[in-house]
Amino acid sequence: QVQVAESGGGSVQAGGSLTLSCTVSGYGYSVFCMGWFRHPAGKEREAVAITDTTGDLGYVDSVKGRFTVSLDKAKNSLYLQMNSLKPEDTAMYYCAADPFECPKSCRGGHCTITIQDEFRDWGQGTQVTVSS
């Protein structure tokens, strides 16, 4: 049974840093895509950062230069280092995994809701709150 578990959320002041972690258990695939998605209250969910076992990466424009995603393939674990946090980064952050290479549009930072919904395995989410 596949389980996706996130950790590392919390509350910080603007300019601070947080690191999110995600581990997928029961994932015996040699190729897979993992990503971080966020859903701010009252807004649409967006793909923040994705990567896969081929090494491709993709970030939404608003986090480029501030967030870094990394994948530990041996541990089936995904990390998101978030620096220079802003109040607009406040959201519920979800980790998701899919047993395929990441969609090309997501690698380019344009990951629509329809494509996001194709990710098969999702975690429960972890809240990130950034105060001004």
Side-chain angles (χ1 to χ4, degrees):
Q1 184 177 358
V2 175
Q3 290 187 322
V4 181
E6 307 103 330
S7 63
S11 297
V12 294
Q13 290 190 324
S17 298
L18 282 174
T19 301
L20 304 183
S21 300
C22 171
T23 298
V24 181
S25 57
Y27 232 54
Y29 303 103
S30 60
V31 175
F32 55 88
C33 174
M34 292 184 72
W36 289 102
F37 303 80
R38 65 186 180 187
H39 196 170
K43 297 183 180 180
E44 193 172 84
R45 187 183 65 213
E46 67 175 353
V48 177
I50 66 161
T51 186
D52 62 23
T53 49
T54 70
D56 280 337
L57 299 171
Y59 295 94
V60 68
D61 287 345
S62 60
V63 307
K64 287 179 180 177
R66 299 189 298 123
F67 291 10
T68 302
V69 66
S70 58
L71 175 66
D72 185 332
K73 290 183 283 187
K75 296 181 179 179
N76 282 0
S77 293
L78 186 73
Y79 307 94
L80 186 68
Q81 176 66 44
M82 304 186 293
N83 298 326
S84 302
L85 282 161
K86 304 176 181 180
E88 50 264 43
D89 294 317
T90 295
M92 183 69 80
Y93 283 70
Y94 297 90
C95 175
D98 197 60
F100 298 97
E101 291 183 14
C102 289
K104 288 184 179 179
S105 60
C106 291
R107 291 182 234 166
H110 304 290
C111 199
T112 64
I113 289 289
T114 301
I115 295 175
Q116 293 175 38
D117 286 343
E118 292 178 359
F119 278 74
R120 193 185 74 178
D121 304 297
W122 290 80
Q124 295 298 308
T126 184
Q127 178 68 35
V128 172
T129 302
V130 184
S131 58
S132 58

